Amino acid sequence: MATRGEASVGIHGMWGFSPALNLLSSPVTSKSSTLPPPPPPSNPSEPINILLLQSCDIRHVLRTLSCRLRDTRSPRPLHFYVFDNPCECVARHLLLLSTLFDFEIPIRQRSTLFLEIFGNSLVQERTSRYISRTAKDLIETVTGGRGGGILGNIVDFSNMKYRERDSLQAIFKSWDHNNTDADVRDLRDHRLRYFYGERYDNRKSVLDWDYQTRVKEVASIIHIKQYREWRNSGVAYEFGDATYNVSNRTMVSYTTGMMKGGKDKGIKKDVRGFWLDIIVSPYPAFGVSVEPVNQFAKDLFYITNEGTGTEQHRHHAVEVATYNVMSYLWEMETKTKYEMKKKDDIFSGLGGDLSDAILKTEESKKSDAAAANEKDGQKRGETVNGNEQAESKKSALENSVKPKPPAPSEESEAEKLEKRERIRIRQAANRARNIVSTLKDVKIFPMSSIEENSVQKTLLSKSKFQNFFDHVFVSQHAVHHCGTEGFSNILKQGGTLRMETGKHIYALQRAQLQELVGKMGEMCNSHNDLQICNERCIGAKGELDYDAVKDLEVIELVKNVT
């Protein structure tokens, strides 16, 4: 029987258990650690190859792309190899990428749309229609037809077999808005009932205990009300007064199970269900840390009444996640870091909607010009002498008999809307140009396999992947593969390996976390050519020190240069 931690994390992962990383950054080391620099590439145009092994989402792709152009030197081509199982996870990656690169949607709305699809089991009706519409475009992307858009230029399916591509097409078709076969609310409730068992009616007490004993200790920025709402309904990100009542079909997947009753009893079949995490939440991926670009960003974690026993965060994980996604998109499209301009206002760096700003500026100019003309007229009237005033009155009397020229007509509402539409189109075109510029020489290779030992057959045993990857990230769903003989052979000399820890797996207690750290230490020691970057993580006997590792989201290793 699966442990509580295994049962809660789920068979399939559709969000990660650690914050987004810039995988091009240098590993964190202690002062005493000395890591030799990786050897320079033999060819400056040689791509940087990055493997994401069951990362469960595309957070690292997004963060790495946003930071890619910070280096003033000409960036090398960037190739992401995204391996995930099952195909439903890969399909979600493509949908989320397509949403991020949808230049017709402004950054603010795109960020909230992304998070809604990413973390909510129930979405708005308009979001469901957007998923359905985008899925049709993704079918064109997979089949190589027209309509692939930006994604069609950067995604390469050459590492996927045709049956896996066919599976992707079938999954995209199942996301149709009119498809009523998959009721996510019902599927998720079945999962919750199995998980809680006899405690289902008292699940509020169970989740409150989980929050107080684990979540609050590790990530207090996650507010208890939001965590409780997600545990009960599956809705993590709520914005405004929107109604979330339509199934997010992207969270439905199939797994092999044995029938317990009926005529097919004892026969293995694919079972559709909600096989995702039901205890950690989507918040750790984007909502528990930020890059402190200025004091306003640091203040997102400000705690009021600290040390009084009534401490409370001024902000929460949803705001932090929205800020992070916006900042990544902003840097991709403007090539500058996103900075808040006002305290406690995560949207203040956007400067408002440009179309509204231009209209307000033009209206303000007209109003100022009219006021200036009126003021000038008053001044001229005060400076004329008596005779001039008489002549002026006579002239005014004569002019009053003449018909007045028609007053200039004010701009109609239709003209304002037309002007806004023209500005919106220019904005979208500008966003598209910037996105294309950022994605220059970027390729994403989705990978998946329904075979047993798929990682071994698809990656580790392939000669083309030997000494191939510059950076590798391995999630908790796949960390056991790091102990496989020859795993380090896929890394280049000087390449980095990042292993996700169990810090944010809230169902694990201290003893289980210690056991997990011990196993990860054994995996690290099983490869003589891998060196742990931070020596403070190593105990007296060469094992991983739990007290030093417990606060880390990832353990970083580097392949020795020989």
Side-chain angles (χ1 to χ4, degrees):
M1 181 179 292
T3 64
R4 184 172 187 263
E6 292 170 340
S8 64
V9 167
I11 304 170
H12 303 152
M14 293 190 179
W15 47 73
F17 301 148
S18 59
L21 298 173
N22 173 17
L23 297 176
L24 299 178
S25 61
S26 300
V28 178
T29 61
S30 59
K31 292 182 179 179
S32 59
S33 301
T34 55
L35 296 177
S42 56
N43 183 1
S45 61
E46 180 182 346
I48 299 174
N49 297 314
I50 299 176
L51 171 63
L52 300 173
L53 190 53
Q54 289 189 248
S55 60
C56 305
D57 57 38
I58 52 144
R59 66 192 187 280
H60 302 312
V61 176
L62 175 57
R63 178 75 187 278
T64 303
L65 286 176
S66 70
C67 300
R68 180 187 179 220
L69 299 180
R70 291 184 181 181
D71 193 340
T72 55
R73 296 171 297 180
S74 178
R76 289 167 57 190
L78 203 55
H79 291 180
F80 293 94
Y81 292 78
V82 184
F83 183 95
D84 230 316
N85 274 332
C87 279
E88 285 87 350
C89 295
V90 176
R92 257 177 66 93
H93 297 343
L94 297 174
L95 171 66
L96 293 172
L97 283 170
S98 181
T99 304
L100 289 173
F101 302 146
D102 191 345
F103 56 82
E104 293 188 355
I105 305 176
I107 288 178
R108 178 170 177 172
Q109 289 88 334
R110 209 182 327 157
S111 302
T112 56
L113 175 64
F114 172 87
L115 289 172
E116 183 181 347
I117 298 172
F118 171 73
N120 290 1
S121 60
L122 300 175
V123 297
Q124 302 174 69
E125 182 175 351
R126 67 178 181 181
T127 303
S128 177
R129 294 185 183 279
Y130 177 85
I131 293 172
S132 177
R133 186 169 61 252
T134 306
K136 295 177 182 177
D137 294 334
L138 289 173
I139 292 175
E140 295 292 325
T141 304
V142 173
T143 58
R146 297 180 180 179
I150 293 178
L151 209 61
N153 296 324
I154 66 170
V155 177
D156 188 325
F157 295 95
S158 59
N159 288 302
M160 295 189 75
K161 296 179 180 179
Y162 283 106
R163 62 179 176 180
E164 279 127 21
R165 299 187 206 182
D166 292 340
S167 297
L168 285 177
Q169 293 182 56
I171 292 165
F172 293 141
K173 289 178 181 178
S174 71
W175 291 352
D176 188 270
H177 176 70
N178 298 317
N179 181 11
T180 59
D181 291 345
D183 186 344
V184 174
R185 185 187 282 113
D186 184 55
L187 294 173
R188 190 174 187 276
D189 186 65
H190 277 295
R191 178 82 187 288
L192 293 177
R193 288 180 181 275
Y194 175 80
F195 174 72
Y196 288 114
E198 296 177 352
R199 300 178 299 172
Y200 179 80
D201 292 334
N202 297 318
R203 61 190 181 279
K204 181 180 180 297
S205 300
V206 177
L207 69 88
D208 283 348
W209 172 262
D210 287 338
Y211 181 84
Q212 297 296 337
T213 58
R214 286 287 287 127
V215 181
K216 189 175 181 179
E217 175 186 339
V218 175
S220 58
I221 190 70
I222 301 175
H223 198 282
I224 186 171
K225 290 185 178 179
Q226 293 172 332
Y227 183 71
R228 186 185 293 137
E229 176 64 26
W230 174 80
R231 284 280 294 262
N232 285 326
S233 69
V235 177
Y237 297 100
E238 294 186 79
F239 303 99
D241 57 354
T243 301
Y244 303 89
N245 55 4
V246 182
S247 293
N248 185 351
R249 296 169 184 80
T250 70
M251 292 187 178
V252 177
S253 57
Y254 286 83
T255 189
T256 302
M258 185 173 291
M259 306 303 293
K260 294 184 178 180
K263 62 179 182 179
D264 295 329
K265 182 178 180 180
I267 299 176
K268 289 185 177 181
K269 285 191 173 184
D270 286 341
V271 182
R272 182 175 61 187
F274 187 91
W275 307 117
L276 317 185
D277 156 53
I278 55 174
I279 196 170
V280 175
S281 80
Y283 297 128
F286 294 106
V288 297
S289 65
V290 298
E291 183 180 4
V293 294
N294 60 13
Q295 187 59 43
F296 295 152
K298 295 178 183 178
D299 288 342
L300 291 176
F301 292 86
Y302 179 77
I303 300 175
T304 60
N305 304 323
E306 192 168 9
T308 64
T310 59
E311 298 90 348
Q312 186 174 359
H313 279 275
R314 179 172 291 173
H315 300 275
H316 48 72
V318 174
E319 288 180 283
V320 173
T322 307
Y323 168 85
N324 276 328
V325 176
M326 279 198 314
S327 65
Y328 302 152
L329 293 175
W330 178 270
E331 189 164 0
M332 285 176 60
E333 298 183 18
T334 66
K335 302 176 184 178
T336 60
K337 293 183 181 180
Y338 179 76
E339 293 186 8
M340 294 166 55
K341 303 301 182 184
K342 295 180 182 178
K343 186 178 180 180
D344 301 328
D345 184 357
I346 62 174
F347 303 111
S348 58
L350 295 175
D353 183 73
L354 185 58
S355 58
D356 287 341
I358 290 177
L359 285 175
K360 289 177 182 177
T361 302
E362 291 180 350
E363 290 172 358
S364 177
K365 286 180 179 179
K366 290 180 181 179
S367 177
D368 292 344
N373 290 336
E374 183 178 353
K375 190 173 182 180
D376 289 343
Q378 291 176 353
K379 287 182 179 181
R380 285 194 299 270
E382 293 173 356
T383 57
V384 295
N385 55 31
N387 293 332
E388 290 173 339
Q389 288 181 6
E391 290 292 331
S392 176
K393 289 180 180 178
K394 182 179 179 182
S395 176
L397 183 61
E398 292 175 352
N399 289 334
S400 64
V401 181
K402 299 178 181 179
K404 294 182 179 180
S409 60
E410 295 186 1
E411 195 172 28
S412 66
E413 189 65 28
E415 289 174 330
K416 289 182 180 180
L417 292 175
E418 184 181 354
K419 183 179 290 185
R420 290 185 63 178
E421 180 62 18
R422 289 198 302 270
I423 295 172
R424 187 194 68 79
I425 293 173
R426 289 202 301 269
Q427 283 182 308
N430 188 50
R431 284 192 291 266
R433 284 192 295 270
N434 290 335
I435 291 174
V436 170
S437 173
T438 303
L439 297 178
K440 182 182 179 182
D441 296 328
V442 173
K443 283 289 182 183
I444 298 176
F445 297 86
M447 302 175 69
S448 185
S449 177
I450 60 176
E451 299 179 2
E452 293 185 7
N453 301 321
S454 56
V455 173
Q456 177 69 33
K457 294 179 180 179
T458 308
L459 282 170
L460 304 184
S461 63
K462 293 290 183 68
S463 59
K464 70 176 181 178
F465 293 128
Q466 302 301 301
N467 192 34
F468 184 76
F469 294 108
D470 297 272
H471 305 280
V472 175
F473 174 85
V474 184
S475 76
Q476 273 295 311
H477 284 274
V479 74
H480 56 281
H481 292 296
C482 293
T484 305
E485 184 179 356
F487 182 85
S488 62
N489 293 340
I490 64 176
L491 271 171
K492 290 181 180 178
Q493 299 294 323
T496 58
L497 168 64
R498 291 174 171 91
M499 303 164 61
E500 188 176 60
T501 67
K503 176 182 177 180
H504 290 284
I505 303 180
Y506 306 131
L508 299 180
Q509 301 303 315
R510 180 182 175 88
Q512 294 170 309
L513 287 170
Q514 287 178 323
E515 182 182 358
L516 175 61
V517 169
K519 289 181 178 179
M520 293 178 70
E522 293 175 4
M523 296 176 197
C524 297
N525 292 331
S526 66
H527 303 286
N528 296 327
D529 53 355
L530 292 181
Q531 174 187 349
I532 296 176
C533 298
N534 193 337
E535 291 182 352
R536 290 180 298 178
C537 298
I538 305 174
K541 298 180 180 180
E543 79 287 0
L544 283 176
D545 183 2
Y546 170 75
D547 290 329
V549 173
K550 66 179 181 179
D551 293 328
L552 300 178
E553 274 102 3
V554 292
I555 298 172
E556 298 177 309
L557 302 93
V558 65
K559 188 171 182 178
N560 295 326
V561 179
T562 57

